[in-house]
Amino acid sequence: MKTMIKTVALGSALALATLAAQPALAAKPAPAAAPAENGTIVAGLGIANLDAVIANSNAYKVAEQQRETTYKPQYDQAKARNDQLTAQLKPMIDKFNADRQAANPNQASLQQQAVAIQQLQEKGKAELQQILQPVGLSQAYVQEQIEDKLNDALKSAMKKRSISIVLSPDAVIAFNGGAYNLNQDILNELNTAIPSAQLVPPAGWEPRQIREQRAQQAAAQGQSAQSTSTQPAGR
């Protein structure tokens, strides 16, 4: 049985690492609430897309603009390295594709070439991620600052609109956007609560998810140590 080898796409892994650190495209916020023309209005019910609210907040958009300048050295370095890796990969991929289309391709050779290409792609992706790590930390830092204010902004908007239940747009089939949409209300509250965010995290800062994981691991280790110390000594 012949070994099946997938065609390798030029720079696919490297492109992922580069795009991961590019400024995100902010979703357009839904229009502000307005009276519904048709249908029944359910009092106390609201719809909100919190991801869109964050992406359209002043703090988020300003940070995205500032990041391109503040972290330009990292972006430039990543692009230069990506170009080098792409140039290095191209002849390898061209040879692989040519050998693969031969009348009697050497499957062992193709497998070796595919492994070499994959290893270089993975190595390149890791290098790019390392170069762009400060950018990723900045994105996480800004996101966390905004998220810290989001819950209060949501509660304030709900109170002003007398809303008791807020659903995600994904949770409903359809709704009257003007009657139920809270995006603009929450966005207004969020912009007031956090008009801008710090772009560069302090030294040693880690995202909330990592901090929580460390805390859980420390708690588990503490419980394990306590359990071991309280066990009766063997006779």
Side-chain angles (χ1 to χ4, degrees), residues 62-82:
V62 170
E64 289 294 298
Q65 296 172 355
Q66 294 176 338
R67 190 174 294 112
E68 294 183 20
T69 301
T70 301
Y71 291 96
K72 187 177 185 300
Q74 285 82 3
Y75 283 125
D76 291 346
Q77 183 183 358
K79 183 181 182 304
R81 183 58 182 142
N82 183 72

Side-chain angles (χ1 to χ4, degrees), residues 93-167:
I93 294 173
D94 289 344
K95 184 177 186 307
F96 172 85
N97 289 331
D99 292 351
R100 185 170 179 266
Q101 295 172 4
N104 295 304
N106 185 324
Q107 296 298 325
S109 175
L110 287 175
Q111 184 65 37
Q112 292 177 352
Q113 292 180 57
V115 169
I117 292 171
Q118 183 178 5
Q119 289 177 343
L120 182 57
Q121 285 180 323
E122 292 177 351
K123 178 183 177 182
K125 182 178 178 181
E127 289 181 12
L128 292 176
Q129 288 176 338
Q130 182 65 31
I131 294 171
L132 295 171
Q133 184 179 30
V135 178
L137 285 176
S138 172
Q139 291 174 326
Y141 187 50
V142 170
Q143 181 95 2
E144 188 170 309
Q145 292 174 73
I146 299 173
E147 289 176 349
D148 287 342
K149 300 293 184 180
L150 182 61
N151 190 50
D152 288 341
L154 172 61
K155 290 181 179 178
S156 180
M158 290 175 66
K159 183 178 180 180
K160 291 181 179 180
R161 289 278 299 275
S162 299
I163 299 295
S164 56
I165 299 177
V166 176
L167 301 176

Side-chain angles (χ1 to χ4, degrees), residues 45-60:
L45 179 64
I47 308 295
N49 185 334
L50 299 184
D51 289 337
V53 171
I54 291 176
N56 283 280
S57 67
N58 290 338
Y60 184 92

Side-chain angles (χ1 to χ4, degrees), residues 170-234:
D170 296 336
V172 295
I173 298 175
F175 66 94
N176 185 300
Y180 298 107
N181 179 20
L182 280 181
N183 280 18
Q184 190 62 50
D185 300 74
I186 301 171
L187 182 59
N188 292 340
E189 298 292 334
L190 191 60
N191 286 339
T192 300
I194 178 169
S196 63
Q198 295 182 13
L199 182 66
V200 181
W205 182 86
E206 293 179 325
R208 179 182 288 114
Q209 182 179 1
I210 296 178
R211 299 197 307 268
E212 291 177 348
Q213 289 176 350
R214 292 187 186 280
Q216 291 174 357
Q217 292 174 354
Q221 292 174 354
Q223 291 177 354
S224 177
Q226 183 178 5
S227 175
T228 302
S229 63
T230 56
Q231 289 182 358

